[in-house]
Amino acid sequence: MAELCDLVINNVRIASMQNNGQAYGQLSQSSVAIKDGKVLAIFDALDATYQSIKNVDGENKWLLPGFIDCHTHLVYGGNRANEFEQRLQGKTYTEIAQQGGGILGTVNATRAASEQTLLSHAIKRAARLTEEGVTCIEVKSGYGLDRDTELKMLKVAKRIAEHLPVSIETTYLGAHTVPKEYRSNPDDYVQFICEQVIPVVAKQKLASCVDVFCESIGFSAAQSRKIFAAAKAQQLNVKAHVEQLSDLKGAKLAAEFNALSVDHIEYLDPKDIPAIKQSGTVAVLLPGAFYYLNESQKPPVAALRAHSIPMAIATDLNPGSSPIASLLTIMNMASVLFSLTPEEVLYGVTKNAAQALRLANKGQIKAGLDADLCLWDIEHPAELVYGINHHRPAAKWFAGKEC
Ligand code: NIG
Ligand code: FE
């Protein structure tokens, strides 16, 4: 008896992004059956088991999982075009931050913005990503720093999913920088984060992760440790901005707390990689910030590869270090700037990005997983990484619905 499903996509080349020993996890079958928002089965065209009223001819195009942008800061007020000009006149990112600009400049603008204004701008940025095939976005807070603005940012982030075909994962990043109210007593701010915000974020289920900017212009390893402990006490997962501008041993510390990911890691000491391996932590590479800040120290990709650390790629979309609302552009940068192969890049925005968010139901085309899928009119998956601004999905499904 034929099994009835909601949709069958026929005649496609499937890059499943499963680790099945084939490049891009390519499958031999050419049809996908979808039911209740999930992939029901992957099967051969001649197999009559799966039948649907709605059938799509994929015209031998490539079907890939929807992309996952696993590190963004896309909810914020204002912009920092003025700092872009200052940097061109010779000021560094660190100098601007030390003079009260940088993240603190965006904090002022974000505190002043209404929820509705933040939301309408965030939707526009997220739409740039979804147009390119992104179906899941992680969004961090961190431009409010006071409790209510942080909660406002997380609520706004979640509301993006009411307006676009995308799922949103939220991360509390109160430890982005020390706010002006606490300039002379940063440890009190850490205590405030641990005691007055993390428990509320957990109780209201506003985020599943807690992140820290462990850096000289952010938080020390000792301060980060307190925040990670407070997160874990509330059953929240840990992620960390580490080793972006210097080596504070943040990655090793994050691994102690089984961090889902360590992000940036340009200054990661290869000696710390075994600790990351042991904790199953994903290395999230952010070539947009590297490019934008005109850095020269590259993440230790060869050593990460040698230790089989899963690598993910993300936009880091934010108003300061990476105002780049294009994951496809970032994918090209990951290859050109960090020497990742196109296959590594595509795993980095699918399977490994899902792992960086602990999303077992996304990032691959597999029976039982979410039917977040994109059809691409290309001859080979590497084309999605090779050029810039050549491609948009020919068709897109989010939770099994065409969008
Ligand atoms: O990931 N490194 C810290 N946070 C952001 C930058 C935020 C900003 O400059 O507004 C990043 O690069
Ligand atoms: Fe970031």
Side-chain angles (χ1 to χ4, degrees):
M1 246 241 320
E3 184 164 358
L4 205 61
C5 49
D6 301 327
L7 168 70
V8 168
I9 307 170
N10 286 305
N11 192 20
V12 284
R13 287 178 275 178
I14 303 172
S16 76
M17 306 316 290
Q18 296 177 32
N19 271 340
N20 64 355
Q22 302 300 315
Y24 304 90
Q26 189 174 358
L27 303 177
S28 58
Q29 297 94 334
S30 58
S31 296
V32 179
I34 293 162
K35 191 174 183 180
D36 298 332
K38 310 263 180 213
V39 171
L40 177 67
I42 297 162
F43 61 103
D44 278 321
L46 294 176
D47 182 343
T49 312
Y50 303 98
Q51 293 204 344
S52 171
I53 300 166
K54 194 164 167 46
N55 289 277
V56 170
D57 178 3
E59 297 170 340
N60 203 32
K61 297 181 176 115
W62 279 88
L63 192 69
L64 273 82
F67 295 149
I68 299 169
D69 191 351
C70 67
H71 178 143
T72 84
H73 310 246
L74 64 70
V75 174
Y76 57 82
N79 69 59
R80 306 230 292 272
N82 58 333
E83 282 176 21
F84 180 63
E85 294 188 318
Q86 286 173 23
R87 284 213 309 276
L88 290 168
Q89 284 153 12
K91 269 201 188 170
T92 67
Y93 182 69
T94 304
E95 282 163 357
I96 292 168
Q98 282 162 344
Q99 288 159 11
I103 295 169
L104 285 176
T106 300
V107 168
N108 292 335
T110 305
R111 287 179 178 179
S114 71
E115 204 166 310
Q116 197 47 47
T117 303
L118 286 178
L119 179 63
S120 64
H121 289 290
I123 290 169
K124 280 191 199 141
R125 295 172 196 130
R128 297 287 87 80
L129 301 177
T130 59
E131 284 157 14
E132 291 189 341
V134 173
T135 50
C136 175
I137 306 174
E138 185 258 17
V139 182
K140 300 175 197 295
S141 66
Y143 291 122
L145 309 182
D146 66 66
R147 193 190 65 177
D148 288 352
T149 315
E150 288 291 301
L151 301 182
K152 174 172 83 173
M153 287 186 71
L154 294 169
K155 284 180 194 151
V156 165
K158 283 182 175 287
R159 285 182 60 197
I160 296 168
E162 295 166 14
H163 299 266
L164 293 171
V166 70
S167 61
I168 300 289
E169 295 294 313
T170 44
T171 296
Y172 168 57
L173 176 59
H176 203 185
T177 194
V178 177
K180 59 179 187 303
E181 302 82 23
Y182 286 90
R183 191 177 298 155
S184 50
N185 46 356
D187 285 334
D188 289 356
Y189 181 57
V190 172
Q191 195 179 351
F192 164 78
I193 288 176
C194 294
E195 293 177 5
Q196 297 192 45
V197 192
I198 289 178
V200 179
V201 167
K203 188 153 184 254
Q204 296 188 13
K205 296 194 182 346
L206 284 174
S208 54
C209 288
V210 171
D211 198 337
V212 170
F213 184 25
C214 183
E215 192 58 64
S216 59
I217 52 169
F219 294 82
S220 68
Q223 291 169 329
S224 302
R225 176 182 288 282
K226 287 190 184 151
I227 294 165
F228 291 156
K232 285 288 182 177
Q234 297 289 337
Q235 278 79 50
L236 295 171
N237 287 313
V238 161
K239 297 173 90 60
H241 287 70
V242 290
E243 276 78 279
Q244 180 186 7
L245 308 166
S246 62
D247 181 11
L248 294 194
K249 298 289 163 207
K252 213 168 162 214
L253 173 71
E256 256 186 65
F257 289 86
N258 294 315
L260 297 191
S261 68
V262 286
D263 302 39
H264 287 290
I265 59 168
E266 280 86 343
Y267 284 82
L268 176 68
D269 183 343
K271 287 200 203 75
D272 294 337
I273 292 179
I276 296 171
K277 174 82 185 169
Q278 223 202 333
S279 59
T281 301
V282 175
V284 177
L285 307 181
L286 304 169
F290 172 90
Y291 159 81
Y292 219 77
L293 300 181
N294 215 348
E295 298 286 349
S296 51
Q297 171 89 18
K298 300 193 181 193
V301 166
L304 291 166
R305 197 182 274 140
H307 286 85
S308 305
I309 304 285
M311 291 183 276
I313 314 294
T315 59
D316 195 13
L317 173 49
N318 75 68
S321 64
S322 189
I324 304 174
S326 169
L327 186 60
L328 285 171
T329 305
I330 293 288
M331 287 159 61
N332 175 268
M333 286 182 182
S335 271
V336 173
L337 300 175
F338 293 166
S339 305
L340 267 68
T341 66
E343 189 181 13
E344 286 173 326
V345 169
L346 280 164
Y347 273 100
V349 293
T350 55
K351 185 173 187 286
N352 295 349
Q355 191 180 333
L357 298 172
R358 196 165 284 172
L359 296 174
N361 54 334
K362 293 188 186 293
Q364 300 170 69
I365 303 180
K366 201 175 185 178
L369 270 56
D370 292 351
D372 298 344
L373 305 166
C374 286
L375 190 67
W376 296 93
D377 189 6
I378 49 178
E379 271 310 308
H380 192 275
E383 287 169 42
L384 295 176
V385 181
Y386 141 78
I388 293 183
N389 204 20
H390 288 266
H391 299 291
R392 293 292 180 272
K396 212 153 56 89
W397 294 267
F398 175 68
K401 298 255 173 330
E402 186 152 15
C403 56

